[in-house]
Amino acid sequence: MAENGLLELSGTVEHVVYHNDKNQYTVLEMAAGEELVTVVGEFPFVSEGEELQVYGGWDTHPSFGQQFKAQTFERARPATAAAMMKYLASGAVKGVGPATARRIVETFGEKALEVMEREPERLSQIKGITKEKAQSIGEELKRVYGIRELMAYLGAYGVRPEEAVQVWKTYGQDSVSCIQEDPYRLCEEGMNISFTIADMIAESMEKPRDDLGRVQAGVLYVLRHNLDNGHTCLPWDKLCSAAAQMLGVELELAQDAVYTLSESFQLRCENVDGKDFIFLERQHISESYIAARMKAMLRIPPQALVGADVQIAAIEARKGVQYAEKQKEAIRAAMEKGILILTGGPGTGKTTTLNAIIHILKLSGEKVLLAAPTGRAAKRMSELTGEEAKTIHRMLQVDWDEQDNPVFTRNERNPLECDCLVVDELSMVDAYVFESLLRALPLSCRLILVGDSDQLPSVGAGNVLGDLIASQLFPTVQLKEIFRQSMESLSVLSAHRIVEGKLPELRRRDSDFFFMPREDPAETAQLIVSLCAQRLPRSYGFSSVSDIQVLCPGRKGELGTVELNKLLREAVNPPQKGKTEARINGQLFRLGDKVMQVKNDYNLPWTREDGTSGEGVFNGDMGVITEIDKPGGAIRVEIDDKEVLYDFDHAANELEPAYAVTVHKSQGNEFTAVIIPVLNPPGQLCYRNLLYTGVTRAKQLLILAGRKATIAAMIENDRKTRRYTGLQWLLEKEQEEI
């Protein structure tokens, strides 16, 4: 028995049954005395012939019987010639196969590994091994053992194997010494290991809490953390006070750290109306480039197309339509200007206007490309325009650098081939992605930006649409008139009343909008479950999974996504004999579950039925679990028309149940039927554009369930989601011509 209460088991790895390179989950057979034992756990770079000491406990698998579940382990190098032979022949060291392994062990016996590591040049005395190959084998062995050493070192502090591999990619064989020299390197961009872990390592080395390196790392961490809250910068005073509080140091130390980081150009400071704002270098580059490029496009527009009114009249005559004056204004601007921002709420004719613009530009011989931030938004854009639309990432041909950070192959040196680019749902596009789009635009390209400025801003950092409009520098047409066919929709009228600060007509019931008053949270939750599982499928023929979506202001509470997803799963997709399920890190996954991707994963592969394949699944993508392979530790999810295969670890970290999702996560999606609980959400989530964004996600049916007073309070609170960004100021700032 180990000291921590875990059972201890020692033996030799006989066979690696299964190994996942991403999360290091492994199933192996280990010879422990006279027994052959099945052991499961996370074993990075494990190979046959290795000696292991594993710590854990016995478990009985329903399909595979008794197995030892390892929580941690220690390893020793193979000690005997036979073990070394087995180890090297397994392919553990790149460049050494069974035949080479046999010759090495026959030549050097039990000293084979020692020679390979310390005197690799001696391998060249073996026939078939050149001096170059000998050196390569030695370096590969050092790499293997170096990564193992690093994983063992960091694993003691809770760092996952895949995170350790990322550290190795950055620092190589010097990883451990680099971390010991400065643990806060782990928090650098590209690795993104938590500051808490870096602090634990530093504390174990007895580094002082007021060390300047620690304080600087803390300042950078606060800024990076706030990128997740949408901020591209922070006011000087807020940054310093937040960093000092987190670090438990005096305010002056945080201020000194900001000064030092600014002097070394790791941070940028801009004075806006007498107040200093601090940017990370990467975010300052993004917003500065956007400002400079957009202003350059104003100065050097593409050639104007003439005859807008003639073209408009021709379309009206052919289609029997009559464009509103604002729609005509937008069409003219698209033809005559280099930039157009087209904004408006539901039912105001954005799609009709956009279709006319695309038609006229194509008639004029221009090549028009269409892009949207999500797969669903791109698909909807294609359906509404009749033209192919791609996600921005697909259009820009995303790739990855050595640190697995996304880079786009379409850029200044490899621009898009188009005369006009149309981007829909611009409110969802963050500063970095918009910068990347602009870098890929040909110099004379038209740019048409479409979105609803009253919706929530992007999940990523920045407020691109809002800042562009607020600068008042660019031709902007806001469509406000609701067209006759949309006037018949109570849900559309309700959306416009909300954005105008008026209460919807809650007493009026129509086929596409209902308000169901409830006072008790438990009663409201049961109502929502009943609507999803029985009432709406029975009355409207809607699918509980693919058509109906519950949108919550937040995650917590009886009416938050966490609790509602539990209730909805059991009602909509209950357990059945033969229906596979798996519990991973405390999270349940069941065959047929509706799930959502909750973070960008640029290198997750997918395939389509037509044989096409690619990589990249993004925050907000939704799908259904079609297969759970428990022996293989994998989950298959159908997302739109793509099949995506997740290993268990990635599923636990990147997928969540999606019967109910937050309004923020629903951006860019539309659903046949939407149900929104409105019963005392947290104060920070009780505001107008959150409610408006949720309401505008409904295509055919909208149901609000809860209190009239809550709806009124949300509408009354017209505060926009506060974001600290620099784009508007950079646009308005006088700059030298670039």
Side-chain angles (χ1 to χ4, degrees):
M1 181 78 72
E3 291 183 4
N4 56 7
L6 299 175
L7 296 177
E8 180 182 336
L9 195 67
S10 301
T12 306
V13 178
E14 292 292 321
H15 178 51
V16 179
V17 179
Y18 171 80
H19 179 75
N20 187 303
D21 283 331
K22 287 187 176 179
N23 62 14
Q24 309 304 321
Y25 179 79
T26 307
V27 180
L28 57 85
E29 291 178 339
M30 189 173 81
E34 300 295 319
E35 290 186 85
L36 192 65
V37 178
T38 299
V39 181
V40 301
E42 292 183 1
F43 295 95
F45 297 95
V46 71
S47 300
E48 294 166 9
E50 287 195 274
E51 300 286 335
L52 297 182
Q53 271 185 313
V54 295
Y55 305 90
W58 293 101
D59 186 40
T60 302
H61 192 280
S63 302
F64 304 103
Q66 192 178 53
Q67 55 189 23
F68 192 88
K69 212 167 182 178
Q71 294 189 22
T72 185
F73 74 101
E74 296 174 1
R75 71 172 99 215
R77 299 191 185 195
T80 67
M84 288 182 190
M85 175 66 199
K86 192 164 190 172
Y87 172 68
L88 293 173
S90 71
V93 180
K94 188 178 176 182
V96 179
T100 305
R102 188 185 67 254
R103 291 198 297 272
I104 292 173
V105 175
E106 285 176 351
T107 304
F108 300 106
E110 294 181 358
K111 292 188 175 182
L113 290 178
E114 184 181 334
V115 170
M116 290 170 67
E117 184 178 15
R118 299 180 181 179
E119 301 174 280
E121 66 278 358
R122 291 179 61 189
L123 297 176
S124 61
Q125 69 188 61
I126 299 172
K127 187 177 179 181
I129 300 181
T130 64
K131 287 183 179 179
E132 289 78 14
K133 186 175 181 180
Q135 197 63 38
S136 170
I137 290 171
E139 288 173 358
E140 179 64 16
L141 184 67
K142 285 180 181 178
R143 186 187 74 85
V144 169
Y145 279 120
I147 294 178
R148 289 176 174 178
E149 180 191 6
L150 177 65
M151 286 180 170
Y153 177 71
L154 292 177
Y157 297 98
V159 177
R160 300 196 307 272
E162 61 265 34
E163 293 173 328
V165 170
Q166 196 59 62
V167 176
W168 179 270
K169 286 181 179 179
T170 304
Y171 297 112
Q173 294 184 29
D174 299 323
S175 292
V176 173
S177 60
C178 285
I179 293 165
Q180 290 175 339
E181 180 185 319
D182 180 9
Y184 299 103
R185 285 170 168 162
L186 295 172
C187 307
E188 291 176 356
E189 197 169 1
M191 284 179 283
N192 300 319
I193 294 170
S194 78
F195 186 86
T196 304
I197 288 175
D199 228 14
M200 285 169 58
I201 297 172
E203 189 175 351
S204 71
M205 298 164 60
E206 299 183 349
K207 289 184 177 288
R209 294 181 64 79
D210 60 356
D211 177 77
L212 181 60
R214 176 177 183 263
V215 182
Q216 289 178 348
V219 167
L220 293 170
Y221 177 80
V222 170
L223 282 166
R224 291 193 185 109
H225 175 75
N226 274 281
L227 294 177
D228 295 332
N229 297 325
H231 306 300
T232 62
C233 57
L234 287 177
W236 161 275
D237 53 346
K238 288 184 179 292
L239 170 61
C240 292
S241 62
Q245 185 176 359
M246 183 191 78
L247 295 165
V249 299
E250 297 293 325
L251 180 63
E252 290 77 12
L253 280 175
Q255 294 171 338
D256 289 344
V258 174
Y259 279 124
T260 306
L261 289 165
S262 299
E263 288 173 356
S264 63
F265 300 103
Q266 293 184 66
L267 299 180
R268 295 294 297 269
C269 179
E270 295 281 5
N271 188 279
V272 183
D273 298 328
K275 190 170 185 177
D276 286 335
F277 285 80
I278 307 300
F279 298 73
L280 290 165
E281 180 70 9
R282 176 64 261 178
Q283 277 60 52
H284 190 267
I285 289 171
S286 285
E287 293 197 308
S288 295
Y289 181 87
I290 293 169
R293 180 64 194 273
M294 292 291 288
K295 291 171 76 171
M297 291 174 70
L298 283 178
R299 293 194 298 270
I300 315 171
Q303 185 175 353
L305 299 176
V306 298
D309 289 334
V310 174
Q311 296 274 25
I312 292 169
I315 297 174
E316 289 180 326
R318 188 172 69 255
K319 293 190 174 183
V321 298
Q322 181 67 48
Y323 292 113
E325 190 51 47
K326 277 289 183 181
Q327 289 179 300
K328 293 179 181 179
E329 181 185 336
I331 297 168
R332 293 189 197 102
M335 294 178 63
E336 297 167 2
K337 310 289 184 181
I339 300 171
L340 167 66
I341 299 173
L342 179 63
T343 181
T348 57
K350 288 201 302 291
T351 300
T352 305
T353 307
L354 187 58
N355 282 339
I357 291 170
I358 294 169
H359 176 75
I360 292 171
L361 292 178
K362 290 185 72 174
L363 275 181
S364 303
E366 295 200 357
K367 183 176 181 180
V368 182
L369 294 183
L370 279 61
T374 67
R376 289 202 171 190
K379 186 178 180 182
R380 191 174 76 249
M381 195 181 188
S382 295
E383 292 168 351
L384 293 173
T385 63
E387 304 285 338
E388 182 188 16
K390 295 180 179 179
T391 64
I392 295 171
H393 287 80
R394 185 182 169 199
M395 179 174 285
L396 297 181
Q397 298 171 10
V398 68
D399 204 347
W400 300 270
D401 61 18
E402 291 183 356
Q403 277 72 47
D404 289 336
N405 296 314
V407 292
F408 298 104
T409 56
R410 290 288 189 176
N411 49 39
E412 301 98 325
R413 296 177 298 281
N414 183 29
L416 296 167
E417 297 172 3
C418 63
D419 303 297
C420 175
L421 176 65
V422 181
V423 185
D424 198 13
E425 296 282 3
L426 189 69
S427 62
M428 295 182 63
V429 179
D430 63 44
Y432 173 69
V433 172
F434 192 64
E435 175 207 355
S436 302
L437 261 179
L438 293 180
R439 290 187 183 278
L441 280 190
L443 291 175
S444 60
C445 188
R446 296 181 201 279
L447 182 61
I448 298 172
L449 306 172
V450 186
D452 187 343
S453 57
D454 291 311
Q455 289 190 22
L456 294 169
S458 59
V459 174
N463 185 23
V464 174
L465 178 60
D467 285 348
L468 290 176
I469 294 173
S471 74
Q472 299 183 358
L473 292 176
F474 308 101
T476 301
V477 178
Q478 183 176 11
L479 302 178
K480 293 183 178 181
E481 182 183 343
I482 306 174
F483 285 86
R484 183 169 55 83
Q485 59 269 32
S486 297
M487 291 285 288
E488 300 170 3
S489 167
L490 190 53
S491 67
V492 170
L493 292 175
S494 297
H496 283 272
R497 287 185 67 86
I498 289 169
V499 87
E500 292 167 3
K502 302 174 183 175
L503 197 68
E505 297 182 36
L506 301 179
R507 292 182 179 179
R508 178 181 162 189
R509 293 200 167 195
D510 206 346
S511 59
D512 75 334
F513 175 75
F514 299 93
F515 170 61
M516 295 185 169
R518 293 292 187 278
E519 292 294 325
D520 179 66
E523 187 185 350
T524 308
Q526 288 306 313
L527 168 67
I528 292 170
V529 170
S530 171
L531 287 167
C532 291
Q534 290 98 32
R535 295 168 64 173
L536 295 185
R538 185 172 59 241
S539 299
Y540 291 83
F542 293 158
S543 163
S544 299
V545 174
S546 59
D547 292 328
I548 304 170
Q549 186 60 58
V550 178
L551 300 182
C552 306
R555 292 175 56 84
K556 299 178 180 177
E558 289 184 74
L559 295 174
T561 59
V562 175
E563 291 303 318
L564 281 179
N565 270 315
K566 294 175 184 175
L567 296 174
L568 288 165
R569 168 192 277 132
E570 298 311 303
V572 171
N573 187 33
Q576 296 178 356
K577 187 178 180 181
K579 185 183 287 185
T580 314
E581 49 183 66
R583 189 171 291 276
I584 311 165
N585 297 342
Q587 186 170 324
L588 179 66
F589 294 93
R590 182 177 293 154
L591 187 66
D593 269 347
K594 184 177 184 178
V595 291
M596 172 179 276
Q597 178 80 13
V598 294
K599 59 176 70 173
N600 291 333
D601 190 331
Y602 296 97
N603 51 11
L604 195 61
W606 52 260
T607 57
R608 290 194 177 98
E609 281 190 1
D610 62 6
T612 58
S613 61
E615 292 181 327
V617 184
F618 305 104
N619 192 355
D621 286 351
M622 300 175 72
V624 176
I625 295 176
T626 57
E627 182 184 359
I628 298 178
D629 179 6
K630 294 178 76 171
I635 292 177
R636 192 178 303 276
V637 180
E638 184 177 336
I639 298 176
D640 295 326
D641 59 345
K642 298 180 291 191
E643 291 281 345
V644 185
L645 191 65
Y646 295 80
D647 61 69
F648 274 5
D649 190 62
H650 273 71
N653 287 321
E654 298 185 4
L655 291 177
E656 289 183 358
Y659 301 98
V661 302
T662 63
V663 174
H664 284 84
K665 288 289 188 183
S666 74
Q667 287 178 268
N669 291 324
E670 282 189 338
F671 311 96
T672 305
V674 167
I675 304 169
I676 305 177
V678 280
L679 193 73
N680 293 340
Q684 69 271 25
L685 298 172
C686 192
Y687 56 97
R688 185 186 300 174
N689 68 333
L690 185 139
L691 179 63
Y692 173 76
T693 300
V695 165
T696 56
R697 301 303 90 199
K699 290 194 290 187
Q700 294 184 27
L701 177 65
L702 170 66
I703 297 175
L704 302 180
R707 293 189 182 124
K708 177 181 176 181
T710 300
I711 298 172
M714 294 180 79
I715 294 169
E716 181 68 23
N717 185 2
D718 190 28
R719 74 168 181 87
K720 300 289 184 182
T721 304
R722 179 63 189 271
R723 290 203 166 182
Y724 294 112
T725 63
L727 180 56
Q728 180 184 346
W729 175 78
L730 288 164
L731 284 164
E732 296 169 351
K733 176 185 174 185
E734 289 190 12
Q735 295 180 334
E736 294 182 8
E737 303 235 343
I738 297 178

